[in-house]
Amino acid sequence: MDNRSSESRSALMSSIGGKNTKPELVIRKYLHSKGYRYRLHQTNLPSGSPDLVLKKYKTVIFINGCFWHGHNCSQGKIPKTKVEYWENKIAHNKKRDNKNYEKLLELGWNVLVIWGCRLRSYKRQTIVLSEILKTLDQIFDRTEASFISL
């Protein structure tokens, strides 16, 4: 049972930001320190607004929150209240995400999805950040688009 009124819950949920999140800032700071340059939240691509766009590498990076994007981890569990609502909401988000990824791949963009749970501890962060660098190096040498989920 939810201990908040529907108005209070609505205000709380609408205050959750989708840009400049802590995981996003960690990745941005790291990539910038390694010499990578990118654009933020570009809306001129047919895919919503990727968190980072590395034009030189023809790569977009999405930093997904596990709950909102339905990741299969402890952070991605459906709440016990309004189960049907949340299942439909998350299913819609996943369908939209997959459609956006497919559009980008068809246009020759590389799609890199990084899950928030992978950045929760310093040890995991260092592993993921080195995987991102290795992946970008591989992308630079590759000629066809690919989808990578970290």
Side-chain angles (χ1 to χ4, degrees), residues 12-123:
L12 177 69
M13 296 305 275
S14 66
S15 71
I16 297 172
K19 294 181 180 177
N20 303 319
T21 61
K22 186 176 179 181
E24 185 179 328
L25 294 174
V26 166
I27 291 172
R28 283 169 32 186
K29 183 177 179 181
Y30 182 75
L31 288 177
H32 194 272
S33 75
K34 297 297 180 185
Y36 289 89
R37 299 300 179 252
Y38 46 81
R39 297 279 180 220
L40 301 175
H41 313 290
Q42 279 193 277
T43 57
N44 62 344
L45 293 170
S47 63
S49 177
D51 296 304
L52 302 171
V53 177
L54 292 93
K55 192 173 180 180
K56 177 180 177 180
Y57 295 85
K58 202 159 187 190
T59 299
V60 296
I61 299 177
F62 291 92
I63 302 148
N64 287 349
C66 297
F67 174 74
W68 296 106
H69 296 272
H71 191 224
N72 188 20
C73 70
S74 64
Q75 305 295 311
K77 290 200 163 93
I78 300 288
K80 293 181 180 166
T81 58
K82 297 187 177 184
V83 174
E84 185 178 343
Y85 168 81
W86 286 112
E87 285 175 341
N88 291 335
K89 170 79 172 153
I90 303 303
H92 172 75
N93 289 351
K94 289 170 81 170
K95 185 177 180 181
R96 181 201 61 220
D97 290 344
N98 289 330
K99 185 177 171 184
N100 288 338
Y101 302 154
E102 287 173 19
K103 283 182 190 176
L104 288 163
L105 289 167
E106 287 170 7
L107 293 171
W109 285 87
N110 296 291
V111 178
L112 181 56
V113 175
I114 300 163
W115 293 100
C117 63
R118 300 280 319 272
L119 300 167
R120 290 187 67 83
S121 72
Y122 180 76
K123 184 177 179 183

